[in-house]
Coordinates of all heavy atoms in Angstrom, one line a residue:
Chain A
E91 N -3.0 -35.5 -38.7 CA -2.4 -34.3 -39.3 C -3.4 -33.4 -39.9 O -3.4 -32.2 -39.8 CB -1.3 -34.7 -40.4 CG -0.6 -33.4 -40.9 CD 0.2 -33.7 -42.1 OE1 0.0 -34.7 -42.8 OE2 1.0 -32.8 -42.5
N92 N -4.4 -34.0 -40.6 CA -5.4 -33.2 -41.3 C -6.5 -32.7 -40.3 O -7.1 -31.7 -40.6 CB -6.1 -34.0 -42.4 CG -5.2 -34.0 -43.7 OD1 -4.2 -33.2 -43.8 ND2 -5.4 -34.9 -44.6
I93 N -6.6 -33.3 -39.2 CA -7.5 -32.8 -38.1 C -6.9 -31.4 -37.7 O -7.6 -30.4 -37.5 CB -7.7 -33.7 -36.9 CG1 -8.5 -35.0 -37.4 CG2 -8.4 -33.0 -35.8 CD1 -8.7 -36.0 -36.3
G94 N -5.6 -31.4 -37.5 CA -4.9 -30.2 -37.2 C -5.1 -29.1 -38.2 O -5.3 -27.9 -37.9
F95 N -5.2 -29.5 -39.5 CA -5.5 -28.5 -40.6 C -6.9 -27.9 -40.4 O -7.1 -26.7 -40.5 CB -5.3 -29.2 -41.9 CG -5.5 -28.2 -43.1 CD1 -4.4 -27.7 -43.7 CD2 -6.8 -27.9 -43.5 CE1 -4.6 -26.7 -44.7 CE2 -6.9 -27.0 -44.6 CZ -5.8 -26.4 -45.2
A96 N -7.8 -28.8 -40.1 CA -9.2 -28.3 -39.8 C -9.3 -27.4 -38.7 O -10.0 -26.4 -38.7 CB -10.1 -29.5 -39.7
C97 N -8.4 -27.6 -37.6 CA -8.4 -26.7 -36.5 C -7.9 -25.4 -36.9 O -8.5 -24.4 -36.6 CB -7.4 -27.3 -35.4 SG -8.1 -28.7 -34.5
I98 N -6.8 -25.3 -37.6 CA -6.2 -24.0 -37.8 C -6.9 -23.3 -38.9 O -7.0 -22.1 -38.9 CB -4.6 -24.1 -38.1 CG1 -4.0 -22.7 -38.0 CG2 -4.4 -24.7 -39.5 CD1 -2.4 -22.8 -38.0
A99 N -7.4 -24.0 -39.9 CA -8.1 -23.4 -41.0 C -9.6 -23.2 -40.6 O -10.4 -22.6 -41.4 CB -8.0 -24.2 -42.3
E100 N -10.0 -23.7 -39.5 CA -11.4 -23.5 -39.0 C -12.4 -24.1 -39.9 O -13.4 -23.4 -40.3 CB -11.6 -22.1 -38.6 CG -10.6 -21.6 -37.5 CD -10.8 -20.2 -37.1 OE1 -11.7 -19.8 -36.4 OE2 -9.9 -19.4 -37.6
V101 N -12.3 -25.3 -40.3 CA -13.2 -26.0 -41.2 C -14.1 -26.9 -40.4 O -13.6 -27.9 -39.8 CB -12.4 -26.8 -42.2 CG1 -13.4 -27.4 -43.3 CG2 -11.4 -25.9 -42.9
P102 N -15.4 -26.7 -40.4 CA -16.3 -27.5 -39.6 C -16.3 -28.9 -40.2 O -16.3 -29.1 -41.4 CB -17.7 -26.9 -39.8 CG -17.4 -25.6 -40.4 CD -16.1 -25.6 -41.1
C103 N -16.3 -29.9 -39.3 CA -16.3 -31.3 -39.7 C -16.5 -32.2 -38.5 O -16.2 -31.8 -37.4 CB -15.1 -31.8 -40.6 SG -13.5 -31.5 -39.8
V104 N -17.0 -33.4 -38.7 CA -17.2 -34.4 -37.6 C -16.4 -35.6 -37.9 O -16.4 -36.2 -39.0 CB -18.7 -34.7 -37.4 CG1 -18.9 -35.8 -36.4 CG2 -19.5 -33.5 -37.1
I105 N -15.6 -36.0 -36.9 CA -14.8 -37.2 -36.9 C -15.3 -38.2 -35.9 O -15.3 -37.9 -34.7 CB -13.3 -36.9 -36.7 CG1 -12.8 -35.9 -37.6 CG2 -12.5 -38.2 -36.7 CD1 -12.6 -34.5 -37.1
V106 N -15.8 -39.4 -36.3 CA -16.2 -40.4 -35.4 C -15.1 -41.4 -35.1 O -14.5 -41.9 -36.1 CB -17.5 -41.1 -35.9 CG1 -18.0 -42.2 -34.9 CG2 -18.6 -40.1 -36.3
N107 N -14.8 -41.6 -33.9 CA -13.8 -42.7 -33.5 C -14.5 -43.7 -32.6 O -14.8 -43.4 -31.5 CB -12.6 -42.1 -32.8 CG -11.6 -43.1 -32.3 OD1 -11.7 -44.3 -32.7 ND2 -10.7 -42.7 -31.5
V108 N -14.8 -44.9 -33.2 CA -15.4 -46.0 -32.4 C -14.2 -46.7 -31.8 O -13.6 -47.5 -32.5 CB -16.3 -46.9 -33.3 CG1 -17.0 -47.9 -32.4 CG2 -17.3 -46.1 -34.1
Q109 N -13.9 -46.4 -30.6 CA -12.7 -46.9 -30.0 C -12.6 -48.4 -29.9 O -13.6 -49.1 -29.5 CB -12.5 -46.3 -28.6 CG -12.3 -44.8 -28.6 CD -12.4 -44.3 -27.2 OE1 -11.4 -44.1 -26.5 NE2 -13.6 -44.1 -26.7
R110 N -11.4 -48.9 -30.2 CA -11.1 -50.3 -29.9 C -9.8 -50.4 -29.2 O -9.1 -49.4 -28.9 CB -11.0 -51.1 -31.3 CG -9.9 -50.5 -32.2 CD -9.9 -51.0 -33.6 NE -8.6 -51.5 -34.0 CZ -8.4 -52.1 -35.2 NH1 -9.4 -52.2 -36.0 NH2 -7.2 -52.6 -35.5
G111 N -9.4 -51.6 -28.8 CA -8.2 -51.8 -28.0 C -6.9 -51.4 -28.8 O -6.8 -51.8 -29.9
G112 N -6.0 -50.7 -28.1 CA -4.8 -50.4 -28.8 C -3.6 -50.6 -27.8 O -3.9 -51.2 -26.7
P113 N -2.4 -50.2 -28.0 CA -2.0 -49.4 -29.2 C -1.9 -50.3 -30.5 O -2.1 -51.5 -30.4 CB -0.6 -48.9 -28.8 CG -0.1 -49.9 -27.8 CD -1.3 -50.4 -27.1
S114 N -1.6 -49.6 -31.6 CA -1.4 -50.3 -32.9 C -2.7 -51.1 -33.2 O -3.8 -50.7 -32.8 CB -0.2 -51.2 -32.9 OG 0.1 -51.6 -34.2
T115 N -2.5 -52.2 -33.9 CA -3.7 -52.9 -34.3 C -4.5 -53.5 -33.1 O -5.7 -53.7 -33.1 CB -3.3 -54.1 -35.3 OG1 -2.5 -53.5 -36.3 CG2 -4.5 -54.7 -36.0
G116 N -3.7 -53.7 -32.0 CA -4.3 -53.9 -30.7 C -5.4 -55.0 -30.7 O -5.1 -56.2 -31.1
L117 N -6.6 -54.7 -30.2 CA -7.7 -55.6 -30.1 C -8.8 -55.0 -31.1 O -9.7 -54.3 -30.6 CB -8.2 -55.7 -28.7 CG -7.3 -56.2 -27.6 CD1 -7.8 -56.0 -26.2 CD2 -7.1 -57.7 -27.9
P118 N -8.8 -55.5 -32.3 CA -9.7 -54.8 -33.3 C -11.1 -54.9 -33.0 O -11.9 -54.0 -33.3 CB -9.3 -55.6 -34.6 CG -8.0 -56.1 -34.4 CD -7.9 -56.4 -32.9
T119 N -11.6 -56.0 -32.4 CA -13.0 -56.2 -32.2 C -13.5 -56.0 -30.8 O -14.6 -56.1 -30.5 CB -13.4 -57.7 -32.6 OG1 -12.6 -58.6 -31.7 CG2 -13.1 -58.0 -34.0
L120 N -12.5 -55.6 -29.9 CA -12.9 -55.4 -28.5 C -12.9 -54.0 -28.1 O -12.2 -53.1 -28.6 CB -12.0 -56.2 -27.6 CG -12.1 -57.8 -27.9 CD1 -11.0 -58.5 -27.1 CD2 -13.5 -58.3 -27.7
P121 N -13.8 -53.7 -27.1 CA -13.9 -52.3 -26.7 C -12.7 -51.7 -25.8 O -12.0 -52.5 -25.2 CB -15.2 -52.3 -25.8 CG -15.2 -53.7 -25.3 CD -14.6 -54.6 -26.3
A122 N -12.6 -50.4 -25.9 CA -11.6 -49.7 -25.1 C -12.0 -48.3 -25.1 O -12.9 -47.8 -25.8 CB -10.2 -49.9 -25.6
Q123 N -11.4 -47.5 -24.1 CA -11.6 -46.1 -24.1 C -10.2 -45.4 -24.0 O -10.0 -44.5 -23.3 CB -12.5 -45.7 -22.9 CG -13.9 -46.2 -23.0 CD -14.7 -45.9 -21.8 OE1 -14.3 -46.2 -20.7 NE2 -15.9 -45.4 -22.0
G124 N -9.3 -46.0 -24.8 CA -7.9 -45.6 -24.8 C -7.5 -44.4 -25.6 O -6.3 -44.0 -25.7
D125 N -8.5 -43.8 -26.2 CA -8.2 -42.6 -27.1 C -8.6 -41.3 -26.5 O -8.7 -40.3 -27.3 CB -8.8 -42.8 -28.5 CG -8.3 -44.1 -29.2 OD1 -7.3 -44.7 -28.7 OD2 -9.0 -44.5 -30.1
V126 N -8.8 -41.3 -25.2 CA -9.2 -40.0 -24.6 C -8.2 -38.9 -24.8 O -8.5 -37.8 -25.2 CB -9.4 -40.2 -23.1 CG1 -9.6 -38.9 -22.3 CG2 -10.6 -41.1 -22.8
M127 N -6.9 -39.3 -24.7 CA -5.8 -38.3 -24.8 C -5.5 -38.1 -26.3 O -5.2 -37.0 -26.7 CB -4.6 -38.8 -24.1 CG -4.7 -38.5 -22.6 SD -4.9 -36.8 -22.3 CE -5.2 -36.8 -20.5
Q128 N -5.6 -39.1 -27.1 CA -5.4 -38.9 -28.6 C -6.4 -37.9 -29.1 O -6.1 -37.1 -30.0 CB -5.3 -40.2 -29.4 CG -4.6 -39.9 -30.7 CD -4.8 -41.0 -31.7 OE1 -5.4 -42.0 -31.5 NE2 -4.1 -40.8 -32.9
A129 N -7.7 -38.1 -28.7 CA -8.7 -37.2 -29.1 C -8.4 -35.8 -28.8 O -8.7 -34.8 -29.5 CB -10.1 -37.6 -28.6
R130 N -7.8 -35.6 -27.6 CA -7.4 -34.2 -27.2 C -6.2 -33.7 -27.9 O -6.1 -32.6 -28.3 CB -7.2 -34.2 -25.6 CG -6.8 -32.8 -25.1 CD -7.9 -31.8 -25.4 NE -7.4 -30.4 -25.1 CZ -6.9 -29.6 -26.1 NH1 -6.8 -30.0 -27.3 NH2 -6.6 -28.3 -25.8
W131 N -5.1 -34.6 -27.9 CA -3.8 -34.1 -28.3 C -3.2 -34.8 -29.5 O -2.0 -34.8 -29.6 CB -2.8 -34.1 -27.1 CG -3.2 -33.2 -26.0 CD1 -3.6 -33.4 -24.7 CD2 -3.2 -31.7 -26.1 NE1 -3.8 -32.3 -24.0 CE2 -3.6 -31.2 -24.8 CE3 -2.9 -30.8 -27.1 CZ2 -3.7 -29.8 -24.6 CZ3 -3.0 -29.5 -26.9 CH2 -3.4 -29.0 -25.6
G132 N -4.1 -35.5 -30.2 CA -3.5 -36.3 -31.3 C -2.8 -35.6 -32.4 O -1.8 -36.0 -33.0
T133 N -3.3 -34.4 -32.7 CA -2.6 -33.6 -33.7 C -1.6 -32.6 -32.9 O -1.8 -32.3 -31.8 CB -3.6 -32.8 -34.6 OG1 -2.9 -32.4 -35.8 CG2 -4.2 -31.6 -33.9
H134 N -0.6 -32.2 -33.7 CA 0.5 -31.4 -33.0 C 0.1 -29.9 -32.8 O -0.7 -29.4 -33.5 CB 1.8 -31.5 -33.8 CG 1.7 -31.1 -35.2 ND1 1.1 -31.8 -36.2 CD2 2.1 -29.9 -35.8 CE1 1.1 -31.2 -37.3 NE2 1.7 -30.0 -37.1
G135 N 0.7 -29.3 -31.9 CA 0.6 -27.9 -31.7 C -0.6 -27.6 -30.7 O -1.5 -28.4 -30.5
D136 N -0.6 -26.3 -30.3 CA -1.7 -25.9 -29.4 C -3.0 -25.7 -30.2 O -3.0 -25.1 -31.3 CB -1.3 -24.5 -28.8 CG -0.3 -24.6 -27.7 OD1 -0.5 -25.5 -26.9 OD2 0.7 -23.9 -27.8
H137 N -4.0 -26.3 -29.8 CA -5.3 -26.2 -30.5 C -6.4 -26.6 -29.5 O -6.2 -27.4 -28.6 CB -5.3 -27.1 -31.7 CG -5.2 -28.5 -31.3 ND1 -3.9 -29.1 -31.1 CD2 -6.1 -29.5 -31.1 CE1 -4.1 -30.4 -30.7 NE2 -5.4 -30.7 -30.8
P138 N -7.6 -26.0 -29.7 CA -8.7 -26.6 -28.9 C -9.4 -27.7 -29.7 O -9.1 -27.8 -30.9 CB -9.7 -25.3 -28.8 CG -9.4 -24.6 -30.1 CD -8.0 -24.9 -30.5
I139 N -10.2 -28.5 -29.1 CA -10.9 -29.5 -29.8 C -12.2 -29.8 -29.0 O -12.2 -29.5 -27.8 CB -10.1 -30.8 -30.0 CG1 -10.6 -31.7 -31.0 CG2 -9.9 -31.5 -28.7 CD1 -10.1 -31.5 -32.4
I140 N -13.2 -30.2 -29.6 CA -14.4 -30.6 -28.9 C -14.6 -32.1 -29.1 O -14.6 -32.7 -30.2 CB -15.7 -29.9 -29.4 CG1 -15.5 -28.4 -29.2 CG2 -17.0 -30.4 -28.7 CD1 -16.7 -27.6 -29.8
V141 N -14.8 -32.8 -28.0 CA -15.0 -34.3 -28.0 C -16.2 -34.7 -27.2 O -16.3 -34.3 -26.0 CB -13.7 -35.0 -27.4 CG1 -13.9 -36.5 -27.5 CG2 -12.5 -34.6 -28.2
L142 N -17.1 -35.4 -27.8 CA -18.4 -35.8 -27.2 C -18.4 -37.3 -27.1 O -17.8 -38.0 -28.0 CB -19.6 -35.4 -28.0 CG -19.6 -33.9 -28.4 CD1 -20.9 -33.6 -29.2 CD2 -19.5 -33.0 -27.2
S143 N -19.0 -37.9 -26.0 CA -19.0 -39.3 -25.9 C -20.4 -39.8 -25.4 O -20.8 -39.5 -24.3 CB -17.9 -39.7 -24.8 OG -17.9 -41.1 -24.6
P144 N -21.0 -40.6 -26.3 CA -22.4 -41.1 -25.9 C -22.3 -42.4 -25.2 O -21.4 -43.2 -25.3 CB -23.0 -41.3 -27.3 CG -21.9 -41.6 -28.2 CD -20.6 -40.9 -27.7
S145 N -23.3 -42.7 -24.4 CA -23.4 -43.9 -23.6 C -24.6 -44.8 -24.1 O -24.6 -46.0 -23.8 CB -23.7 -43.6 -22.1 OG -22.6 -42.9 -21.6
Y146 N -25.5 -44.3 -24.8 CA -26.7 -45.0 -25.3 C -26.9 -44.8 -26.8 O -26.4 -43.9 -27.3 CB -28.0 -44.5 -24.6 CG -27.8 -44.5 -23.1 CD1 -27.5 -43.3 -22.4 CD2 -28.0 -45.6 -22.3 CE1 -27.4 -43.2 -21.1 CE2 -27.9 -45.6 -20.9 CZ -27.6 -44.4 -20.3 OH -27.4 -44.3 -19.0
V147 N -27.6 -45.8 -27.4 CA -27.8 -45.7 -28.8 C -28.6 -44.4 -29.1 O -28.2 -43.7 -30.1 CB -28.6 -46.9 -29.3 CG1 -29.0 -46.7 -30.8 CG2 -27.7 -48.2 -29.2
R148 N -29.6 -44.1 -28.4 CA -30.3 -42.9 -28.6 C -29.4 -41.6 -28.5 O -29.5 -40.6 -29.2 CB -31.5 -42.8 -27.7 CG -32.3 -41.4 -27.6 CD -32.8 -41.0 -29.0 NE -33.0 -39.5 -29.0 CZ -34.1 -38.9 -28.8 NH1 -35.2 -39.6 -28.5 NH2 -34.1 -37.6 -28.8
E149 N -28.5 -41.7 -27.5 CA -27.6 -40.6 -27.3 C -26.6 -40.5 -28.4 O -26.1 -39.4 -28.7 CB -26.9 -40.8 -25.9 CG -26.3 -39.5 -25.4 CD -25.8 -39.6 -24.0 OE1 -24.7 -40.3 -23.8 OE2 -26.5 -39.2 -23.1
V150 N -26.3 -41.6 -29.1 CA -25.4 -41.5 -30.3 C -26.1 -40.6 -31.3 O -25.5 -39.7 -31.9 CB -25.1 -42.9 -30.9 CG1 -24.4 -42.8 -32.2 CG2 -24.4 -43.8 -29.9
F151 N -27.4 -40.8 -31.5 CA -28.1 -40.0 -32.4 C -28.1 -38.5 -32.0 O -27.7 -37.6 -32.8 CB -29.6 -40.5 -32.4 CG -30.5 -39.7 -33.3 CD1 -30.7 -40.0 -34.6 CD2 -31.3 -38.6 -32.7 CE1 -31.6 -39.2 -35.4 CE2 -32.1 -37.9 -33.5 CZ -32.3 -38.2 -34.8
D152 N -28.4 -38.3 -30.7 CA -28.4 -36.9 -30.2 C -27.0 -36.2 -30.3 O -26.9 -35.1 -30.7 CB -28.9 -36.8 -28.8 CG -30.3 -37.3 -28.7 OD1 -31.1 -37.2 -29.7 OD2 -30.7 -37.7 -27.6
L153 N -26.0 -36.9 -29.9 CA -24.7 -36.3 -29.8 C -24.0 -36.2 -31.2 O -23.2 -35.3 -31.4 CB -23.8 -37.1 -28.9 CG -24.1 -36.9 -27.4 CD1 -22.9 -37.5 -26.5 CD2 -24.4 -35.5 -27.0
T154 N -24.5 -37.0 -32.1 CA -24.0 -36.8 -33.5 C -24.5 -35.5 -34.1 O -23.8 -34.7 -34.6 CB -24.4 -38.0 -34.4 OG1 -23.9 -39.2 -33.9 CG2 -23.8 -37.8 -35.8
I155 N -25.8 -35.2 -33.8 CA -26.4 -33.9 -34.2 C -25.7 -32.8 -33.5 O -25.3 -31.8 -34.1 CB -27.9 -33.9 -33.9 CG1 -28.6 -35.0 -34.8 CG2 -28.5 -32.5 -34.2 CD1 -30.1 -35.2 -34.4
R156 N -25.4 -33.0 -32.2 CA -24.7 -32.0 -31.4 C -23.3 -31.7 -31.9 O -22.8 -30.6 -32.0 CB -24.7 -32.4 -30.0 CG -24.4 -31.3 -29.0 CD -24.7 -31.7 -27.6 NE -23.8 -31.1 -26.7 CZ -23.7 -29.8 -26.3 NH1 -24.6 -29.0 -26.8 NH2 -22.8 -29.4 -25.5
A157 N -22.7 -32.8 -32.3 CA -21.3 -32.7 -32.9 C -21.3 -31.8 -34.1 O -20.5 -30.9 -34.3 CB -20.7 -34.0 -33.2
F158 N -22.3 -32.0 -35.0 CA -22.4 -31.2 -36.2 C -22.7 -29.8 -35.8 O -22.1 -28.8 -36.4 CB -23.5 -31.7 -37.2 CG -22.9 -32.8 -38.1 CD1 -23.1 -34.1 -37.9 CD2 -22.3 -32.4 -39.3 CE1 -22.6 -35.1 -38.8 CE2 -21.8 -33.3 -40.2 CZ -21.9 -34.7 -39.9
N159 N -23.7 -29.6 -34.9 CA -24.1 -28.3 -34.5 C -22.9 -27.5 -33.9 O -22.7 -26.3 -34.3 CB -25.2 -28.3 -33.5 CG -26.5 -28.6 -34.2 OD1 -26.7 -28.5 -35.4 ND2 -27.5 -28.9 -33.4
L160 N -22.1 -28.1 -33.0 CA -21.0 -27.4 -32.4 C -19.9 -27.1 -33.4 O -19.3 -26.0 -33.4 CB -20.5 -28.2 -31.2 CG -21.4 -28.4 -30.0 CD1 -20.8 -29.4 -29.0 CD2 -21.6 -27.0 -29.3
S161 N -19.7 -28.1 -34.3 CA -18.6 -27.9 -35.3 C -19.0 -26.7 -36.2 O -18.1 -25.9 -36.6 CB -18.3 -29.2 -36.0 OG -18.7 -29.2 -37.3
E162 N -20.3 -26.7 -36.6 CA -20.7 -25.6 -37.5 C -20.7 -24.2 -36.8 O -20.3 -23.2 -37.3 CB -22.1 -25.9 -38.0 CG -22.2 -27.0 -39.0 CD -21.7 -26.6 -40.4 OE1 -22.0 -25.5 -40.9 OE2 -21.1 -27.5 -41.1
K163 N -21.1 -24.3 -35.5 CA -21.2 -23.0 -34.8 C -19.8 -22.4 -34.5 O -19.6 -21.2 -34.6 CB -22.0 -23.3 -33.5 CG -22.2 -22.1 -32.6 CD -23.1 -22.4 -31.5 CE -23.3 -21.2 -30.6 NZ -24.2 -21.5 -29.4
Y164 N -18.9 -23.3 -34.1 CA -17.6 -22.8 -33.7 C -16.5 -23.0 -34.7 O -15.4 -22.7 -34.5 CB -17.2 -23.5 -32.4 CG -18.1 -23.1 -31.2 CD1 -19.0 -24.0 -30.7 CD2 -18.1 -21.8 -30.7 CE1 -19.9 -23.6 -29.7 CE2 -18.9 -21.4 -29.7 CZ -19.8 -22.3 -29.2 OH -20.7 -21.9 -28.1
R165 N -16.9 -23.5 -35.9 CA -15.9 -23.7 -36.9 C -14.7 -24.5 -36.4 O -13.6 -24.1 -36.5 CB -15.4 -22.4 -37.6 CG -16.5 -21.7 -38.4 CD -15.9 -20.5 -39.2 NE -14.9 -21.0 -40.2 CZ -14.3 -20.2 -41.0 NH1 -14.5 -18.9 -41.0 NH2 -13.4 -20.7 -41.8
I166 N -15.0 -25.7 -36.0 CA -14.0 -26.5 -35.3 C -14.3 -28.0 -35.7 O -15.4 -28.4 -35.7 CB -13.9 -26.3 -33.8 CG1 -12.7 -27.0 -33.2 CG2 -15.2 -26.7 -33.2 CD1 -12.5 -26.6 -31.7
P167 N -13.2 -28.8 -35.8 CA -13.5 -30.3 -36.0 C -14.1 -30.8 -34.6 O -13.6 -30.4 -33.6 CB -12.2 -30.9 -36.3 CG -11.1 -29.9 -36.0 CD -11.8 -28.5 -36.0
C168 N -15.1 -31.6 -34.7 CA -15.7 -32.1 -33.5 C -15.6 -33.6 -33.6 O -15.9 -34.2 -34.6 CB -17.2 -31.6 -33.4 SG -17.9 -31.9 -31.8
I169 N -15.1 -34.2 -32.5 CA -14.9 -35.7 -32.5 C -16.0 -36.3 -31.6 O -16.3 -35.9 -30.5 CB -13.5 -36.0 -31.9 CG1 -12.5 -35.4 -32.8 CG2 -13.3 -37.5 -31.6 CD1 -11.1 -35.4 -32.3
L170 N -16.6 -37.4 -32.2 CA -17.6 -38.2 -31.5 C -16.8 -39.4 -31.1 O -16.5 -40.3 -31.9 CB -18.8 -38.5 -32.4 CG -19.9 -39.2 -31.6 CD1 -20.7 -38.2 -30.8 CD2 -20.9 -39.9 -32.6
L171 N -16.5 -39.5 -29.8 CA -15.7 -40.6 -29.3 C -16.6 -41.7 -28.7 O -17.1 -41.6 -27.6 CB -14.8 -40.0 -28.2 CG -13.6 -40.9 -27.8 CD1 -12.6 -41.1 -28.9 CD2 -12.8 -40.3 -26.6

Side-chain angles (χ1 to χ4, degrees):
Chain A
E91 188 195 10
N92 283 341
I93 291 176
F95 185 94
C97 286
I98 196 170
E100 299 175 78
V101 185
C103 54
V104 173
I105 302 105
V106 181
N107 175 10
V108 188
Q109 293 169 97
R110 60 190 232 179
S114 191
T115 310
L117 295 168
T119 58
L120 297 177
Q123 296 174 313
D125 301 346
V126 170
M127 283 299 173
Q128 199 193 2
R130 177 64 191 93
W131 292 116
T133 199
H134 57 284
D136 285 313
H137 62 278
I139 197 93
I140 299 176
V141 180
L142 311 180
S143 178
S145 297
Y146 308 97
V147 172
R148 168 59 203 264
E149 199 170 75
V150 173
F151 177 88
D152 295 337
L153 289 192
T154 304
I155 296 173
R156 194 166 146 74
F158 272 99
N159 281 347
L160 291 173
S161 110
E162 290 281 321
K163 181 169 179 183
Y164 294 107
R165 290 190 62 177
I166 188 173
C168 193
I169 294 166
L170 188 74
L171 196 63

